[in-house]
Amino acid sequence: MTDTALRTPTDLKGNAVKSVAEALNAILADTFALYIKTKNFHWHVSGPHFRDYHLMLDEQGAEIFAITDDVAERVRKIGKTTLRSIGDIARHQTLKDNDADFVAPADMLAELRDDNLKLVESLREAKGIADDAKDNATSAMIDEWTDQAERRAWFLFEASRNV
């Protein structure tokens, strides 16, 4: 079975489909990387704000994971294939992993805030690609994902302020 067996009919032009799918697969890879990092920090957070951070990171992790299926299914709806493995994710991700044995809570929040803001940048680029392709559905979905990432960055910023 070849890639053509999985091709879904679409009215989008071939080059546009390829560009949108590539942008979405990059978003998907970074979304998985951000999910794993968020869960890592959720599992390993410590200190006086443990409960607040633990719960916030769990909530954010669930929100991030919920996006993955929508991104991948959008790629399939426009007739392309999506990521297939951890290795595939690693080849496409731009966000850096964090394998440190210990990360201070303030550093966790700052790193996740910055990663969410980097994801926002990628989402804005992908939106431009979708708009150029006249792919209204992808563009609208990206608006929602952007708003969610901005909200996560805001919460992480506010939680890390020394008031």
PDB file of all heavy atoms in Angstrom, residues 75-92:
ATOM      1  N   VAL A  75      -4.545  16.943   8.893  1.00  0.00           N
ATOM      2  CA  VAL A  75      -3.600  16.529   7.854  1.00  0.00           C
ATOM      3  C   VAL A  75      -4.232  15.443   6.980  1.00  0.00           C
ATOM      4  O   VAL A  75      -4.145  15.489   5.753  1.00  0.00           O
ATOM      5  CB  VAL A  75      -2.266  16.040   8.466  1.00  0.00           C
ATOM      6  CG1 VAL A  75      -1.350  15.453   7.392  1.00  0.00           C
ATOM      7  CG2 VAL A  75      -1.564  17.172   9.206  1.00  0.00           C
ATOM      8  N   ARG A  76      -4.888  14.490   7.602  1.00  0.00           N
ATOM      9  CA  ARG A  76      -5.532  13.401   6.851  1.00  0.00           C
ATOM     10  C   ARG A  76      -6.703  13.916   6.019  1.00  0.00           C
ATOM     11  O   ARG A  76      -6.908  13.478   4.885  1.00  0.00           O
ATOM     12  CB  ARG A  76      -6.001  12.300   7.814  1.00  0.00           C
ATOM     13  CG  ARG A  76      -4.857  11.550   8.485  1.00  0.00           C
ATOM     14  CD  ARG A  76      -4.038  10.710   7.511  1.00  0.00           C
ATOM     15  NE  ARG A  76      -4.924   9.690   6.963  1.00  0.00           N
ATOM     16  CZ  ARG A  76      -5.173   9.508   5.667  1.00  0.00           C
ATOM     17  NH1 ARG A  76      -4.577  10.248   4.756  1.00  0.00           N
ATOM     18  NH2 ARG A  76      -6.007   8.587   5.277  1.00  0.00           N
ATOM     19  N   LYS A  77      -7.460  14.873   6.546  1.00  0.00           N
ATOM     20  CA  LYS A  77      -8.610  15.407   5.802  1.00  0.00           C
ATOM     21  C   LYS A  77      -8.192  16.088   4.510  1.00  0.00           C
ATOM     22  O   LYS A  77      -8.973  16.112   3.545  1.00  0.00           O
ATOM     23  CB  LYS A  77      -9.382  16.415   6.655  1.00  0.00           C
ATOM     24  CG  LYS A  77     -10.207  15.798   7.750  1.00  0.00           C
ATOM     25  CD  LYS A  77     -10.865  16.897   8.574  1.00  0.00           C
ATOM     26  CE  LYS A  77     -11.414  16.358   9.863  1.00  0.00           C
ATOM     27  NZ  LYS A  77     -11.911  17.436  10.735  1.00  0.00           N
ATOM     28  N   ILE A  78      -6.989  16.652   4.481  1.00  0.00           N
ATOM     29  CA  ILE A  78      -6.551  17.322   3.254  1.00  0.00           C
ATOM     30  C   ILE A  78      -5.733  16.390   2.356  1.00  0.00           C
ATOM     31  O   ILE A  78      -5.144  16.823   1.374  1.00  0.00           O
ATOM     32  CB  ILE A  78      -5.791  18.635   3.543  1.00  0.00           C
ATOM     33  CG1 ILE A  78      -4.500  18.402   4.325  1.00  0.00           C
ATOM     34  CG2 ILE A  78      -6.715  19.633   4.245  1.00  0.00           C
ATOM     35  CD1 ILE A  78      -3.610  19.632   4.448  1.00  0.00           C
ATOM     36  N   GLY A  79      -5.699  15.104   2.716  1.00  0.00           N
ATOM     37  CA  GLY A  79      -5.143  14.114   1.806  1.00  0.00           C
ATOM     38  C   GLY A  79      -3.694  13.731   2.010  1.00  0.00           C
ATOM     39  O   GLY A  79      -3.109  13.070   1.155  1.00  0.00           O
ATOM     40  N   LYS A  80      -3.114  14.100   3.123  1.00  0.00           N
ATOM     41  CA  LYS A  80      -1.723  13.733   3.377  1.00  0.00           C
ATOM     42  C   LYS A  80      -1.632  12.792   4.572  1.00  0.00           C
ATOM     43  O   LYS A  80      -2.621  12.508   5.238  1.00  0.00           O
ATOM     44  CB  LYS A  80      -0.885  14.994   3.640  1.00  0.00           C
ATOM     45  CG  LYS A  80      -0.657  15.824   2.403  1.00  0.00           C
ATOM     46  CD  LYS A  80       0.147  15.049   1.394  1.00  0.00           C
ATOM     47  CE  LYS A  80       0.602  15.856   0.219  1.00  0.00           C
ATOM     48  NZ  LYS A  80       1.330  15.045  -0.741  1.00  0.00           N
ATOM     49  N   THR A  81      -0.438  12.307   4.836  1.00  0.00           N
ATOM     50  CA  THR A  81      -0.212  11.441   5.993  1.00  0.00           C
ATOM     51  C   THR A  81       0.490  12.254   7.072  1.00  0.00           C
ATOM     52  O   THR A  81       1.115  13.277   6.805  1.00  0.00           O
ATOM     53  CB  THR A  81       0.624  10.206   5.615  1.00  0.00           C
ATOM     54  OG1 THR A  81       1.860  10.635   5.060  1.00  0.00           O
ATOM     55  CG2 THR A  81      -0.138   9.328   4.635  1.00  0.00           C
ATOM     56  N   THR A  82       0.396  11.744   8.284  1.00  0.00           N
ATOM     57  CA  THR A  82       0.936  12.470   9.422  1.00  0.00           C
ATOM     58  C   THR A  82       2.004  11.646  10.131  1.00  0.00           C
ATOM     59  O   THR A  82       2.417  10.604   9.631  1.00  0.00           O
ATOM     60  CB  THR A  82      -0.216  12.924  10.346  1.00  0.00           C
ATOM     61  OG1 THR A  82       0.273  13.880  11.267  1.00  0.00           O
ATOM     62  CG2 THR A  82      -0.886  11.756  11.033  1.00  0.00           C
ATOM     63  N   LEU A  83       2.423  12.104  11.254  1.00  0.00           N
ATOM     64  CA  LEU A  83       3.510  11.468  12.000  1.00  0.00           C
ATOM     65  C   LEU A  83       3.124  10.060  12.427  1.00  0.00           C
ATOM     66  O   LEU A  83       1.970   9.781  12.725  1.00  0.00           O
ATOM     67  CB  LEU A  83       3.871  12.318  13.218  1.00  0.00           C
ATOM     68  CG  LEU A  83       4.215  13.777  12.908  1.00  0.00           C
ATOM     69  CD1 LEU A  83       4.519  14.529  14.191  1.00  0.00           C
ATOM     70  CD2 LEU A  83       5.378  13.873  11.933  1.00  0.00           C
ATOM     71  N   ARG A  84       4.143   9.178  12.476  1.00  0.00           N
ATOM     72  CA  ARG A  84       3.866   7.769  12.740  1.00  0.00           C
ATOM     73  C   ARG A  84       4.576   7.195  13.962  1.00  0.00           C
ATOM     74  O   ARG A  84       4.292   6.068  14.350  1.00  0.00           O
ATOM     75  CB  ARG A  84       4.272   6.957  11.517  1.00  0.00           C
ATOM     76  CG  ARG A  84       3.398   7.211  10.322  1.00  0.00           C
ATOM     77  CD  ARG A  84       3.872   6.351   9.162  1.00  0.00           C
ATOM     78  NE  ARG A  84       2.892   6.299   8.114  1.00  0.00           N
ATOM     79  CZ  ARG A  84       2.816   7.160   7.115  1.00  0.00           C
ATOM     80  NH1 ARG A  84       3.654   8.160   7.049  1.00  0.00           N
ATOM     81  NH2 ARG A  84       1.895   7.024   6.196  1.00  0.00           N
ATOM     82  N   SER A  85       5.531   7.938  14.530  1.00  0.00           N
ATOM     83  CA  SER A  85       6.322   7.348  15.607  1.00  0.00           C
ATOM     84  C   SER A  85       7.027   8.430  16.420  1.00  0.00           C
ATOM     85  O   SER A  85       7.058   9.599  16.023  1.00  0.00           O
ATOM     86  CB  SER A  85       7.378   6.404  15.015  1.00  0.00           C
ATOM     87  OG  SER A  85       8.328   7.157  14.261  1.00  0.00           O
ATOM     88  N   ILE A  86       7.614   8.000  17.535  1.00  0.00           N
ATOM     89  CA  ILE A  86       8.422   8.906  18.355  1.00  0.00           C
ATOM     90  C   ILE A  86       9.594   9.429  17.524  1.00  0.00           C
ATOM     91  O   ILE A  86       9.950  10.611  17.590  1.00  0.00           O
ATOM     92  CB  ILE A  86       8.937   8.189  19.625  1.00  0.00           C
ATOM     93  CG1 ILE A  86       7.759   7.761  20.509  1.00  0.00           C
ATOM     94  CG2 ILE A  86       9.914   9.053  20.401  1.00  0.00           C
ATOM     95  CD1 ILE A  86       6.945   8.880  21.091  1.00  0.00           C
ATOM     96  N   GLY A  87      10.191   8.566  16.721  1.00  0.00           N
ATOM     97  CA  GLY A  87      11.296   8.989  15.854  1.00  0.00           C
ATOM     98  C   GLY A  87      10.853  10.045  14.851  1.00  0.00           C
ATOM     99  O   GLY A  87      11.584  11.001  14.577  1.00  0.00           O
ATOM    100  N   ASP A  88       9.661   9.863  14.298  1.00  0.00           N
ATOM    101  CA  ASP A  88       9.110  10.829  13.355  1.00  0.00           C
ATOM    102  C   ASP A  88       8.892  12.177  14.051  1.00  0.00           C
ATOM    103  O   ASP A  88       9.199  13.235  13.497  1.00  0.00           O
ATOM    104  CB  ASP A  88       7.792  10.296  12.787  1.00  0.00           C
ATOM    105  CG  ASP A  88       7.520  10.739  11.365  1.00  0.00           C
ATOM    106  OD1 ASP A  88       8.376  11.412  10.761  1.00  0.00           O
ATOM    107  OD2 ASP A  88       6.429  10.407  10.862  1.00  0.00           O
ATOM    108  N   ILE A  89       8.382  12.126  15.266  1.00  0.00           N
ATOM    109  CA  ILE A  89       8.206  13.352  16.055  1.00  0.00           C
ATOM    110  C   ILE A  89       9.556  14.029  16.240  1.00  0.00           C
ATOM    111  O   ILE A  89       9.701  15.235  16.003  1.00  0.00           O
ATOM    112  CB  ILE A  89       7.548  13.040  17.415  1.00  0.00           C
ATOM    113  CG1 ILE A  89       6.090  12.602  17.218  1.00  0.00           C
ATOM    114  CG2 ILE A  89       7.633  14.248  18.355  1.00  0.00           C
ATOM    115  CD1 ILE A  89       5.459  11.977  18.449  1.00  0.00           C
ATOM    116  N   ALA A  90      10.553  13.266  16.646  1.00  0.00           N
ATOM    117  CA  ALA A  90      11.888  13.824  16.906  1.00  0.00           C
ATOM    118  C   ALA A  90      12.481  14.472  15.654  1.00  0.00           C
ATOM    119  O   ALA A  90      13.159  15.501  15.752  1.00  0.00           O
ATOM    120  CB  ALA A  90      12.823  12.735  17.429  1.00  0.00           C
ATOM    121  N   ARG A  91      12.223  13.900  14.493  1.00  0.00           N
ATOM    122  CA  ARG A  91      12.756  14.462  13.250  1.00  0.00           C
ATOM    123  C   ARG A  91      12.092  15.784  12.884  1.00  0.00           C
ATOM    124  O   ARG A  91      12.675  16.604  12.179  1.00  0.00           O
ATOM    125  CB  ARG A  91      12.597  13.468  12.099  1.00  0.00           C
ATOM    126  CG  ARG A  91      13.587  12.312  12.152  1.00  0.00           C
ATOM    127  CD  ARG A  91      13.499  11.427  10.913  1.00  0.00           C
ATOM    128  NE  ARG A  91      12.256  10.659  10.840  1.00  0.00           N
ATOM    129  CZ  ARG A  91      12.037   9.511  11.465  1.00  0.00           C
ATOM    130  NH1 ARG A  91      12.965   8.989  12.248  1.00  0.00           N
ATOM    131  NH2 ARG A  91      10.896   8.870  11.329  1.00  0.00           N
ATOM    132  N   HIS A  92      10.869  16.006  13.348  1.00  0.00           N
ATOM    133  CA  HIS A  92      10.110  17.208  12.976  1.00  0.00           C
ATOM    134  C   HIS A  92      10.079  18.289  14.058  1.00  0.00           C
ATOM    135  O   HIS A  92       9.781  19.444  13.756  1.00  0.00           O
ATOM    136  CB  HIS A  92       8.666  16.828  12.628  1.00  0.00           C
ATOM    137  CG  HIS A  92       8.526  16.137  11.315  1.00  0.00           C
ATOM    138  ND1 HIS A  92       8.661  14.777  11.181  1.00  0.00           N
ATOM    139  CD2 HIS A  92       8.270  16.609  10.082  1.00  0.00           C
ATOM    140  CE1 HIS A  92       8.480  14.443   9.920  1.00  0.00           C
ATOM    141  NE2 HIS A  92       8.246  15.531   9.228  1.00  0.00           N
TER     142      HIS A  92
END
